[in-house]
Structures are given as C-alpha cells and as structure tokens.
Amino acid sequence: MDMPKQDMTAVPAARLDERFFSPGTRFAGEVTRKFVNYGLKLVVVGDISCLAAGSALRALVGEPNRSGHVWFVPDLDARLGAQSS
C-alpha cells in the first residue's frame, strides 16, 4: 500500500526546544534545510515574537517565509489563507 506524500508539516512552536530559535546553534537552519532538500514544507505555528528580538532570528524567520518552503506563522489559519491565494 502506497502512503500519500505529505507536502506540509505543521509543528507548534511550543514543542520546539528553545535552542531551535537560537541562531548560534544553527539547528533551525539545519532542520529547515532538510525539509527543503526533501521537497517538504514546514510550518512552525505559534507566537515567537518574544524570541524574535534579535536580528539573526528575524533573518532566520524572514528568509524562509519568502522562500515558500518554511513558514513561521502565528496560527495555522494564517498559512492556510496564504496558500489558498
């Protein structure tokens, strides 16, 4: 039996270790790069505004949101609305 290919994975931001959002660890970059390499989309759902004070994290969030493969959104409705337009 063939499993249907998932093309989008949504992960609550609260489930991610705080090191994911620390640009010095490069962990987020490695994870997001894997999703892009395998042709999958990743949506990190939740308010990360308190974490986005640093310019490095703003860049980490801003670049993937422009690429269309990785999204950081406050709620899932925001991403679904963007995808349908």
Side-chain angles (χ1 to χ4, degrees):
M1 180 171 128
D2 290 331
M3 297 294 290
K5 181 180 177 187
Q6 290 182 327
D7 60 359
M8 184 181 297
T9 301
V11 177
R15 291 244 176 128
L16 297 170
D17 188 280
E18 64 187 37
R19 291 173 291 184
F20 180 85
F21 298 104
S22 177
T25 66
R26 299 183 181 175
F27 184 58
E30 292 175 20
V31 170
T32 57
R33 191 171 24 262
K34 293 288 185 189
F35 274 84
V36 171
N37 288 345
Y38 287 102
L40 302 171
K41 296 179 183 178
L42 172 65
V43 181
V44 177
V45 182
D47 182 13
I48 63 166
S49 59
C50 63
L51 302 170
S55 61
L57 184 60
R58 279 196 306 272
L60 170 73
V61 170
E63 181 60 32
N65 280 359
R66 285 189 292 277
S67 74
H69 293 284
V70 180
W71 285 81
F72 291 85
V73 297
D75 57 61
L76 201 51
D77 291 337
R79 177 62 191 130
L80 293 175
Q83 186 173 358
S84 63
S85 54

Coordinates of all heavy atoms in Angstrom, one line a residue:
M1 N 0.8 -1.2 0.0 CA 0.0 0.0 0.0 C 0.9 1.2 0.0 O 1.8 1.4 0.8 CB -0.9 0.0 1.2 CG -1.8 1.2 1.4 SD -3.0 0.9 2.7 CE -2.7 2.4 3.6
D2 N 0.7 2.1 -1.0 CA 1.4 3.4 -1.0 C 0.9 4.4 -0.1 O -0.4 4.6 -0.1 CB 1.4 3.9 -2.5 CG 2.3 3.1 -3.4 OD1 3.2 2.5 -2.9 OD2 1.9 3.0 -4.6
M3 N 1.7 5.0 0.7 CA 1.3 6.1 1.5 C 1.3 7.4 0.8 O 2.2 7.7 0.0 CB 2.3 6.2 2.7 CG 2.3 5.0 3.6 SD 0.8 4.7 4.5 CE 0.8 6.1 5.6
P4 N 0.3 8.2 0.9 CA 0.3 9.5 0.2 C 1.4 10.4 0.8 O 1.8 10.4 1.9 CB -1.1 10.1 0.6 CG -1.5 9.4 1.8 CD -0.9 8.1 1.8
K5 N 2.0 11.2 -0.1 CA 3.1 12.0 0.3 C 2.6 13.3 1.0 O 1.7 13.9 0.5 CB 3.9 12.5 -1.0 CG 5.1 13.4 -0.6 CD 5.8 13.8 -1.9 CE 6.9 14.7 -1.5 NZ 7.6 15.3 -2.6
Q6 N 3.1 13.5 2.1 CA 2.8 14.7 2.8 C 3.6 15.9 2.3 O 4.8 15.7 2.1 CB 3.1 14.6 4.3 CG 2.2 13.7 5.1 CD 2.6 13.7 6.5 OE1 3.7 13.8 6.9 NE2 1.6 13.5 7.4
D7 N 2.9 16.9 2.0 CA 3.7 18.0 1.4 C 3.9 19.2 2.4 O 4.5 20.2 2.1 CB 3.2 18.5 0.1 CG 1.8 19.0 0.2 OD1 1.2 19.0 1.2 OD2 1.3 19.4 -0.9
M8 N 3.2 19.1 3.6 CA 3.3 20.2 4.6 C 3.2 19.5 6.0 O 2.4 18.7 6.2 CB 2.2 21.2 4.4 CG 2.3 22.3 5.4 SD 1.0 23.5 5.2 CE 1.2 24.1 3.6
T9 N 4.2 20.0 6.8 CA 4.2 19.5 8.2 C 4.1 20.7 9.1 O 4.9 21.7 8.9 CB 5.5 18.8 8.5 OG1 5.6 17.6 7.7 CG2 5.5 18.3 10.0
A10 N 3.1 20.7 10.0 CA 2.9 21.9 10.9 C 3.4 21.4 12.3 O 3.0 20.3 12.8 CB 1.4 22.3 11.0
V11 N 4.2 22.2 12.9 CA 4.8 21.9 14.2 C 4.5 23.1 15.1 O 4.8 24.3 14.8 CB 6.3 21.7 14.2 CG1 6.9 21.5 15.5 CG2 6.6 20.6 13.2
P12 N 3.8 22.9 16.3 CA 3.6 24.0 17.2 C 5.0 24.5 17.7 O 5.8 23.7 18.1 CB 2.8 23.4 18.4 CG 2.2 22.1 17.8 CD 3.2 21.7 16.8
A13 N 5.2 25.8 17.7 CA 6.4 26.4 18.2 C 6.7 26.0 19.6 O 7.9 25.8 20.0 CB 6.4 27.9 18.0
A14 N 5.7 25.9 20.4 CA 5.9 25.5 21.8 C 6.5 24.1 22.0 O 7.1 23.8 23.0 CB 4.6 25.5 22.6
R15 N 6.4 23.3 21.0 CA 7.0 21.9 21.1 C 8.5 21.9 20.7 O 9.2 20.9 20.9 CB 6.3 21.0 20.1 CG 4.9 20.7 20.5 CD 4.8 19.2 20.8 NE 3.5 18.9 21.3 CZ 2.8 17.9 20.8 NH1 3.2 17.2 19.7 NH2 1.6 17.6 21.3
L16 N 9.0 23.0 20.2 CA 10.4 23.1 19.8 C 11.3 23.5 21.0 O 10.9 24.5 21.7 CB 10.6 24.0 18.6 CG 9.9 23.6 17.3 CD1 9.9 24.7 16.3 CD2 10.5 22.3 16.8
D17 N 12.4 22.9 21.1 CA 13.3 23.3 22.2 C 13.8 24.8 21.9 O 13.9 25.2 20.7 CB 14.5 22.4 22.1 CG 15.5 22.6 23.3 OD1 16.3 23.6 23.2 OD2 15.4 21.8 24.3
E18 N 14.0 25.5 23.0 CA 14.4 26.9 22.8 C 15.7 27.1 22.0 O 16.0 28.1 21.3 CB 14.6 27.6 24.1 CG 15.7 27.0 25.0 CD 15.8 27.6 26.4 OE1 14.7 27.9 27.0 OE2 16.9 27.8 26.9
R19 N 16.5 26.0 21.9 CA 17.8 26.1 21.1 C 17.4 26.1 19.6 O 18.3 26.6 18.8 CB 18.6 24.8 21.4 CG 19.3 24.9 22.8 CD 20.0 23.6 23.1 NE 19.0 22.6 23.3 CZ 19.2 21.4 23.6 NH1 20.5 21.0 23.9 NH2 18.3 20.5 23.8
F20 N 16.3 25.6 19.2 CA 15.9 25.7 17.8 C 15.9 27.2 17.4 O 16.2 27.5 16.2 CB 14.5 25.1 17.6 CG 14.0 25.2 16.2 CD1 14.3 24.2 15.3 CD2 13.2 26.2 15.8 CE1 13.9 24.2 14.0 CE2 12.7 26.3 14.4 CZ 13.1 25.3 13.6
F21 N 15.4 28.1 18.3 CA 15.3 29.5 17.9 C 16.6 30.3 18.2 O 16.6 31.5 18.0 CB 14.1 30.1 18.7 CG 12.8 29.5 18.3 CD1 12.2 28.6 19.1 CD2 12.2 29.7 17.1 CE1 11.0 27.9 18.8 CE2 11.0 29.1 16.7 CZ 10.4 28.2 17.6
S22 N 17.6 29.7 18.7 CA 18.9 30.3 18.9 C 19.8 30.2 17.7 O 20.3 29.2 17.4 CB 19.5 29.7 20.2 OG 20.8 30.3 20.4
P23 N 20.0 31.3 17.0 CA 20.7 31.3 15.7 C 22.2 30.7 15.9 O 22.7 30.2 15.0 CB 20.7 32.7 15.3 CG 19.5 33.3 15.9 CD 19.4 32.7 17.2
G24 N 22.7 30.9 17.1 CA 24.1 30.4 17.3 C 24.2 28.9 17.2 O 25.3 28.4 16.9
T25 N 23.1 28.2 17.4 CA 23.2 26.7 17.4 C 23.1 26.2 15.9 O 23.5 25.1 15.7 CB 22.1 26.1 18.2 OG1 20.8 26.4 17.5 CG2 22.1 26.5 19.6
R26 N 22.6 27.0 15.0 CA 22.4 26.6 13.6 C 21.4 25.5 13.5 O 21.3 24.9 12.4 CB 23.7 26.3 12.9 CG 24.6 27.5 12.9 CD 25.9 27.2 12.1 NE 26.8 28.3 12.2 CZ 28.0 28.3 11.7 NH1 28.5 27.2 11.1 NH2 28.7 29.4 11.7
F27 N 20.8 25.1 14.5 CA 19.9 23.9 14.5 C 18.7 24.2 13.6 O 18.3 23.3 12.8 CB 19.4 23.6 15.9 CG 18.5 22.4 16.0 CD1 19.0 21.1 15.5 CD2 17.3 22.4 16.5 CE1 18.2 20.0 15.6 CE2 16.5 21.3 16.6 CZ 16.9 20.1 16.1
A28 N 18.1 25.4 13.7 CA 16.9 25.7 12.9 C 17.3 25.6 11.4 O 16.5 25.1 10.6 CB 16.3 27.0 13.2
G29 N 18.4 26.2 11.1 CA 18.9 26.2 9.7 C 19.1 24.8 9.1 O 18.7 24.5 8.0
E30 N 19.6 23.9 10.0 CA 19.8 22.5 9.5 C 18.5 21.8 9.3 O 18.3 21.1 8.4 CB 20.7 21.8 10.6 CG 22.1 22.2 10.6 CD 22.9 21.6 11.7 OE1 22.5 20.5 12.2 OE2 23.9 22.2 12.1
V31 N 17.6 22.0 10.3 CA 16.2 21.4 10.2 C 15.5 21.9 8.9 O 15.0 21.1 8.1 CB 15.4 21.6 11.4 CG1 14.0 21.1 11.2 CG2 16.0 20.9 12.6
T32 N 15.5 23.2 8.8 CA 14.7 23.7 7.6 C 15.3 23.3 6.3 O 14.6 23.1 5.3 CB 14.6 25.3 7.7 OG1 15.9 25.8 7.8 CG2 13.8 25.7 8.9
R33 N 16.7 23.2 6.2 CA 17.3 22.8 5.0 C 16.9 21.4 4.6 O 16.8 21.0 3.5 CB 18.8 22.9 5.2 CG 19.6 22.8 3.9 CD 21.1 23.1 4.0 NE 21.7 23.0 5.3 CZ 22.0 24.1 6.1 NH1 21.6 25.3 5.7 NH2 22.5 23.9 7.3
K34 N 16.8 20.5 5.6 CA 16.3 19.1 5.4 C 15.0 19.1 4.7 O 14.7 18.4 3.8 CB 16.3 18.3 6.7 CG 17.7 18.0 7.2 CD 18.5 17.0 6.4 CE 19.8 16.7 7.1 NZ 20.7 16.0 6.3
F35 N 14.1 19.9 5.3 CA 12.7 20.0 4.7 C 12.8 20.4 3.2 O 12.1 19.8 2.4 CB 11.8 20.9 5.5 CG 11.1 20.2 6.7 CD1 11.8 20.0 7.9 CD2 9.9 19.7 6.5 CE1 11.2 19.4 8.9 CE2 9.2 19.0 7.6 CZ 9.9 18.9 8.8
V36 N 13.5 21.5 3.0 CA 13.7 22.0 1.6 C 14.3 20.9 0.7 O 13.8 20.7 -0.4 CB 14.5 23.3 1.6 CG1 14.8 23.7 0.2 CG2 13.7 24.4 2.3
N37 N 15.4 20.3 1.2 CA 16.0 19.3 0.3 C 15.1 18.1 -0.1 O 15.3 17.5 -1.1 CB 17.3 18.7 1.0 CG 18.4 19.8 1.1 OD1 18.4 20.8 0.4 ND2 19.4 19.5 1.9
Y38 N 14.2 17.7 0.8 CA 13.3 16.6 0.6 C 12.0 17.1 -0.1 O 11.1 16.3 -0.2 CB 13.1 15.8 1.8 CG 14.3 15.0 2.2 CD1 15.1 15.4 3.3 CD2 14.6 13.8 1.6 CE1 16.2 14.7 3.6 CE2 15.7 13.1 1.9 CZ 16.5 13.5 3.0 OH 17.6 12.8 3.3
G39 N 11.9 18.4 -0.4 CA 10.7 18.8 -1.1 C 9.5 18.9 -0.2 O 8.4 18.9 -0.7
L40 N 9.7 19.1 1.1 CA 8.6 19.2 2.0 C 8.5 20.6 2.5 O 9.4 21.4 2.5 CB 8.8 18.2 3.2 CG 9.0 16.8 2.9 CD1 9.4 16.0 4.1 CD2 7.7 16.2 2.3
K41 N 7.3 21.0 3.0 CA 7.1 22.3 3.6 C 6.9 22.2 5.1 O 6.3 21.2 5.5 CB 5.9 22.9 2.9 CG 6.0 23.2 1.5 CD 4.8 23.8 0.9 CE 5.0 23.9 -0.6 NZ 3.9 24.4 -1.3
L42 N 7.5 23.1 5.8 CA 7.5 23.1 7.2 C 6.8 24.4 7.7 O 7.1 25.5 7.2 CB 8.9 23.0 7.8 CG 9.0 23.2 9.4 CD1 8.3 22.1 10.1 CD2 10.4 23.4 9.8
V43 N 5.8 24.3 8.5 CA 5.1 25.4 9.1 C 5.3 25.4 10.6 O 4.9 24.4 11.3 CB 3.6 25.4 8.8 CG1 3.0 26.7 9.4 CG2 3.4 25.4 7.3
V44 N 6.0 26.3 11.2 CA 6.2 26.5 12.6 C 5.1 27.4 13.1 O 5.0 28.6 12.7 CB 7.6 27.0 13.0 CG1 7.7 27.2 14.5 CG2 8.6 26.1 12.5
V45 N 4.2 26.9 13.9 CA 2.9 27.6 14.2 C 3.0 28.1 15.7 O 3.2 27.3 16.6 CB 1.7 26.7 14.1 CG1 0.4 27.5 14.4 CG2 1.6 26.1 12.7
G46 N 2.9 29.4 15.9 CA 2.9 29.9 17.2 C 3.5 31.3 17.3 O 4.2 31.7 16.3
D47 N 3.3 32.0 18.4 CA 3.8 33.3 18.5 C 5.3 33.2 19.0 O 5.5 32.8 20.1 CB 3.0 34.1 19.6 CG 3.5 35.5 19.8 OD1 4.3 36.0 19.0 OD2 3.0 36.1 20.7
I48 N 6.2 33.7 18.2 CA 7.6 33.7 18.6 C 8.1 35.1 18.6 O 9.3 35.3 18.7 CB 8.5 32.8 17.6 CG1 8.4 33.4 16.2 CG2 8.0 31.4 17.6 CD1 9.5 32.8 15.3
S49 N 7.2 36.1 18.7 CA 7.6 37.5 18.7 C 8.5 37.8 19.9 O 9.4 38.6 19.8 CB 6.4 38.4 18.7 OG 5.6 38.1 19.9
C50 N 8.3 37.2 21.0 CA 9.2 37.4 22.2 C 10.6 36.9 21.9 O 11.6 37.4 22.5 CB 8.6 36.8 23.5 SG 8.5 35.0 23.4
L51 N 10.7 35.9 21.0 CA 12.0 35.4 20.7 C 12.7 36.1 19.6 O 13.9 36.0 19.4 CB 11.9 33.9 20.3 CG 11.3 33.0 21.3 CD1 11.0 31.6 20.7 CD2 12.2 32.8 22.5
A52 N 11.9 36.8 18.8 CA 12.4 37.4 17.5 C 13.0 38.8 17.8 O 13.1 39.6 16.9 CB 11.3 37.5 16.5
A53 N 13.5 39.1 19.0 CA 14.1 40.4 19.3 C 15.4 40.6 18.5 O 15.8 41.7 18.1 CB 14.3 40.6 20.8
G54 N 16.2 39.5 18.4 CA 17.5 39.6 17.8 C 17.4 39.6 16.3 O 16.5 39.0 15.7
S55 N 18.3 40.3 15.6 CA 18.3 40.4 14.2 C 18.5 39.1 13.5 O 18.0 38.8 12.4 CB 19.3 41.5 13.7 OG 20.6 41.1 14.0
A56 N 19.4 38.3 14.1 CA 19.7 37.0 13.5 C 18.4 36.1 13.4 O 18.2 35.4 12.4 CB 20.7 36.2 14.3
L57 N 17.6 36.1 14.5 CA 16.4 35.3 14.4 C 15.4 35.9 13.5 O 14.7 35.2 12.7 CB 15.7 35.2 15.8 CG 14.5 34.3 15.9 CD1 14.8 32.9 15.4 CD2 13.9 34.3 17.3
R58 N 15.3 37.2 13.4 CA 14.4 37.9 12.4 C 14.8 37.4 11.0 O 14.0 37.2 10.1 CB 14.4 39.4 12.6 CG 13.5 39.9 13.7 CD 13.3 41.4 13.5 NE 14.5 42.2 13.4 CZ 15.2 42.7 14.4 NH1 14.8 42.4 15.7 NH2 16.2 43.4 14.2
A59 N 16.1 37.4 10.7 CA 16.6 37.0 9.4 C 16.2 35.5 9.2 O 15.8 35.1 8.1 CB 18.1 37.2 9.3
L60 N 16.4 34.7 10.2 CA 16.0 33.2 10.1 C 14.6 33.1 9.7 O 14.2 32.3 8.9 CB 16.4 32.5 11.4 CG 15.9 31.1 11.5 CD1 16.7 30.2 10.6 CD2 15.9 30.6 12.9
V61 N 13.7 33.8 10.4 CA 12.3 33.7 10.1 C 11.9 34.4 8.8 O 11.1 33.8 8.0 CB 11.5 34.4 11.3 CG1 10.0 34.5 10.9 CG2 11.7 33.6 12.5
G62 N 12.5 35.5 8.5 CA 12.1 36.2 7.2 C 12.5 35.5 6.0 O 11.7 35.5 5.0
E63 N 13.7 35.0 5.9 CA 14.2 34.3 4.7 C 13.3 33.1 4.3 O 12.8 33.0 3.2 CB 15.6 33.9 4.8 CG 16.2 33.2 3.6 CD 16.2 34.1 2.3 OE1 16.3 35.4 2.5 OE2 16.0 33.6 1.2
P64 N 13.1 32.2 5.2 CA 12.2 31.0 4.8 C 10.8 31.4 4.5 O 10.2 30.9 3.5 CB 12.2 30.1 6.1 CG 13.4 30.5 6.8 CD 13.6 32.0 6.5
N65 N 10.2 32.4 5.1 CA 8.9 32.9 4.8 C 8.8 33.4 3.3 O 7.8 33.2 2.7 CB 8.4 33.9 5.8 CG 7.9 33.4 7.1 OD1 7.8 32.2 7.2 ND2 7.4 34.2 7.9
R66 N 9.9 33.9 2.8 CA 9.9 34.4 1.4 C 10.1 33.2 0.5 O 9.6 33.3 -0.7 CB 11.0 35.4 1.2 CG 10.7 36.8 1.8 CD 11.8 37.8 1.4 NE 13.1 37.5 2.0 CZ 13.5 37.9 3.2 NH1 12.6 38.6 4.0 NH2 14.7 37.7 3.6
S67 N 10.7 32.2 0.9 CA 11.0 31.0 0.0 C 9.8 30.2 -0.3 O 9.7 29.5 -1.3 CB 12.1 30.2 0.6 OG 11.6 29.4 1.6
G68 N 8.8 30.1 0.6 CA 7.6 29.3 0.4 C 7.8 27.9 0.9 O 6.8 27.1 0.8
H69 N 8.9 27.5 1.4 CA 9.1 26.1 1.8 C 9.0 26.0 3.3 O 8.6 25.0 3.9 CB 10.5 25.6 1.4 CG 10.6 25.4 0.0 ND1 10.1 24.4 -0.7 CD2 11.3 26.2 -1.0 CE1 10.4 24.5 -2.0 NE2 11.1 25.6 -2.2
V70 N 9.4 27.0 4.1 CA 9.3 27.1 5.5 C 8.6 28.3 5.9 O 9.0 29.4 5.5 CB 10.7 27.0 6.1 CG1 10.7 27.0 7.6 CG2 11.5 25.8 5.6
W71 N 7.6 28.2 6.8 CA 6.9 29.3 7.3 C 6.9 29.4 8.8 O 6.7 28.3 9.4 CB 5.4 29.2 6.7 CG 5.3 29.6 5.3 CD1 5.6 28.7 4.3 CD2 5.0 30.8 4.7 NE1 5.4 29.4 3.1 CE2 5.1 30.7 3.3 CE3 4.7 32.0 5.3 CZ2 4.8 31.7 2.5 CZ3 4.4 33.1 4.4 CH2 4.4 32.9 3.0
F72 N 7.0 30.5 9.3 CA 6.8 30.8 10.7 C 5.5 31.7 10.8 O 5.5 32.8 10.3 CB 8.0 31.6 11.3 CG 9.2 30.7 11.4 CD1 10.1 30.6 10.3 CD2 9.5 30.0 12.5 CE1 11.2 29.8 10.3 CE2 10.7 29.3 12.6 CZ 11.5 29.2 11.5
V73 N 4.4 31.2 11.4 CA 3.2 31.9 11.4 C 2.6 31.8 12.8 O 2.8 30.9 13.6 CB 2.1 31.2 10.4 CG1 2.6 31.4 9.0 CG2 1.8 29.8 10.7
P74 N 1.8 32.9 13.1 CA 1.2 32.9 14.5 C 0.1 31.9 14.7 O -0.1 31.4 15.8 CB 0.6 34.3 14.6 CG 0.4 34.8 13.2 CD 1.5 34.1 12.4
D75 N -0.6 31.5 13.6 CA -1.6 30.5 13.7 C -1.7 29.8 12.4 O -1.3 30.3 11.3 CB -2.9 31.0 14.2 CG -3.5 32.1 13.3 OD1 -3.7 31.9 12.1 OD2 -3.7 33.2 13.9
L76 N -2.3 28.6 12.4 CA -2.4 27.8 11.1 C -3.3 28.5 10.1 O -3.0 28.4 8.9 CB -2.8 26.4 11.4 CG -2.5 25.3 10.4 CD1 -1.0 25.4 10.0 CD2 -2.9 24.0 10.8
D77 N -4.3 29.2 10.5 CA -5.2 29.9 9.6 C -4.4 30.9 8.7 O -4.7 31.1 7.6 CB -6.3 30.6 10.3 CG -7.3 29.6 10.9 OD1 -7.4 28.4 10.4 OD2 -8.0 30.0 11.9
A78 N -3.4 31.5 9.3 CA -2.6 32.5 8.6 C -1.9 31.8 7.4 O -1.9 32.3 6.3 CB -1.6 33.1 9.5
R79 N -1.3 30.6 7.6 CA -0.6 29.9 6.5 C -1.6 29.4 5.5 O -1.4 29.4 4.3 CB 0.3 28.8 7.1 CG 1.0 28.0 6.0 CD 1.9 28.9 5.2 NE 2.4 28.2 4.0 CZ 2.3 28.6 2.8 NH1 1.9 29.8 2.6 NH2 2.8 27.9 1.8
L80 N -2.7 28.8 5.9 CA -3.7 28.2 5.0 C -4.3 29.3 4.2 O -4.5 29.1 3.0 CB -4.7 27.4 5.8 CG -4.2 26.2 6.5 CD1 -5.4 25.6 7.3 CD2 -3.7 25.2 5.5
G81 N -4.5 30.5 4.7 CA -5.0 31.6 3.9 C -4.1 32.0 2.9 O -4.4 32.3 1.8
A82 N -2.7 32.1 3.2 CA -1.7 32.5 2.3 C -1.6 31.5 1.2 O -1.3 31.8 0.0 CB -0.4 32.7 3.0
Q83 N -1.7 30.2 1.5 CA -1.6 29.1 0.5 C -2.7 29.1 -0.5 O -2.5 28.9 -1.7 CB -1.4 27.8 1.1 CG -1.1 26.7 0.1 CD -0.8 25.4 0.8 OE1 -0.8 25.3 2.0 NE2 -0.6 24.4 0.0
S84 N -3.9 29.4 -0.1 CA -5.0 29.4 -1.0 C -5.1 30.6 -1.9 O -5.8 30.5 -2.9 CB -6.3 29.2 -0.2 OG -6.5 30.4 0.6
S85 N -4.4 31.6 -1.6 CA -4.4 32.8 -2.5 C -3.4 32.7 -3.6 O -2.7 31.9 -3.8 CB -4.2 34.1 -1.7 OG -3.0 34.0 -0.9

